[in-house]
């Protein structure tokens, strides 16, 4: 990947075909963990009351026993108030993450599998930053990265350890995120 750079009114980067496929796959996996891009969406053509009723009936329950879900949707309180907080906010937060992931997938699709540069409109910047960050958080949970020491411990993995490939993707996503932030400054 060539780092993001400002080109006129948008950010631009060049990705190889495998990088587009890898990033799209990771984003799609994130969407699956969050209940899929279309889950929890009320059908079109409903009036306001019907949409409200349908939305409450189609809420997706996230598995809070999964440490990944806890990392992406941390507890706001350490007591019974957290259940109410989640009840009133979590579905909107989940849908927002899914919408942001859809923006990333749409931008990736526009590259024609890397044949064209990746172009991000300024309006897409936040969706990209949040989605890439969510992917890094997801991999950090699966790798057991909790602090600098746990990350340093992974640096000494054997090349035969399958976690080395996940760590490489984690590092690459860090480069993508840093490049994106640097180009926007």
């Amino acid at each position: 990947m060539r780092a993001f750079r400002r080109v006129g009114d948008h950010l631009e980067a060049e990705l190889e075909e495998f990088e587009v496929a890898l990033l799209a796959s990771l984003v799609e996996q994130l969407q699956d963990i969050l209940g899929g891009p279309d889950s929890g969406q009320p059908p079109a053509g409903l009036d306001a009351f019907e949409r409200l009723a349908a939305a409450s009936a189609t809420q997706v329950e996230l598995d809070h026993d999964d440490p990944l879900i806890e990392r992406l949707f941390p507890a706001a309180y350490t007591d019974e108030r957290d259940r109410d907080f989640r009840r009133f906010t979590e579905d909107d937060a989940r849908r927002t993450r899914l919408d942001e992931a859809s923006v990333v997938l749409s931008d990736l699709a526009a590259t024609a599998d890397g044949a064209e540069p990746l172009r991000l409109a300024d309006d897409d910047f936040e969706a990209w930053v949040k989605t890439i960050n969510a992917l890094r958080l997801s991999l950090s949970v699966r790798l057991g990265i909790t602090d600098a020491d746990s990350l340093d411990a992974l640096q000494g993995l054997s090349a035969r350890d399958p976690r080395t490939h996940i760590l490489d993707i984690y590092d690459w996503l860090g480069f993508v995120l840093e490049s994106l932030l640097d180009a926007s400054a």
Side-chain angles (χ1 to χ4, degrees):
M1 175 185 167
R2 284 199 170 149
F4 280 98
R5 64 191 177 283
R6 168 83 43 204
V7 178
D9 63 346
H10 64 275
L11 300 178
E12 189 171 290
E14 293 180 27
L15 281 79
E16 298 292 329
E17 181 179 357
F18 79 92
E19 292 171 317
V20 171
L22 173 63
L23 194 49
S25 174
L26 291 170
V27 173
E28 288 166 354
Q29 289 175 55
L30 179 64
Q31 285 182 321
D32 288 345
I33 289 168
L34 298 177
D38 298 322
S39 63
Q41 299 296 330
L46 302 178
D47 67 29
F49 181 75
E50 290 170 323
R51 279 194 310 274
L52 180 62
S56 65
T58 58
Q59 277 190 324
V60 171
E61 290 292 322
L62 296 175
D63 179 8
H64 287 281
D65 291 332
D66 184 343
L68 172 56
I69 296 300
E70 282 302 304
R71 183 76 168 126
L72 292 174
F73 301 94
Y77 302 99
T78 58
D79 56 27
E80 66 278 350
R81 295 177 296 170
D82 191 60
R83 194 181 87 202
D84 286 336
F85 178 80
R86 286 184 191 278
R87 190 178 76 177
F88 292 117
T89 64
E90 188 170 82
D91 197 56
D92 282 340
R94 183 190 67 79
R95 288 178 196 219
T96 298
R97 283 196 184 271
L98 288 170
D99 291 345
E100 291 164 346
S102 293
V103 168
V104 172
L105 289 175
S106 177
D107 289 342
L108 288 171
T111 70
D113 296 325
E116 297 292 326
L118 173 61
R119 292 184 179 93
L120 271 60
D122 287 338
D123 292 346
D124 295 349
F125 174 78
E126 187 174 333
W128 270 83
V129 167
K130 288 181 176 182
T131 300
I132 298 299
N133 190 55
L135 293 174
R136 287 195 81 220
L137 285 172
S138 300
L139 292 179
S140 73
V141 167
R142 299 305 190 220
L143 288 167
I145 299 171
T146 57
D147 55 22
D149 291 338
S150 58
L151 177 59
D152 288 344
L154 290 172
Q155 300 299 332
L157 290 175
S158 159
R160 293 178 185 246
D161 190 314
R163 293 176 297 169
T164 58
H165 303 295
I166 299 169
L167 186 60
D168 288 342
I169 294 169
Y170 175 84
D171 288 340
W172 178 72
L173 288 171
F175 167 75
V176 173
L177 186 57
E178 183 177 355
S179 160
L180 186 57
L181 292 170
D182 287 347
S184 72

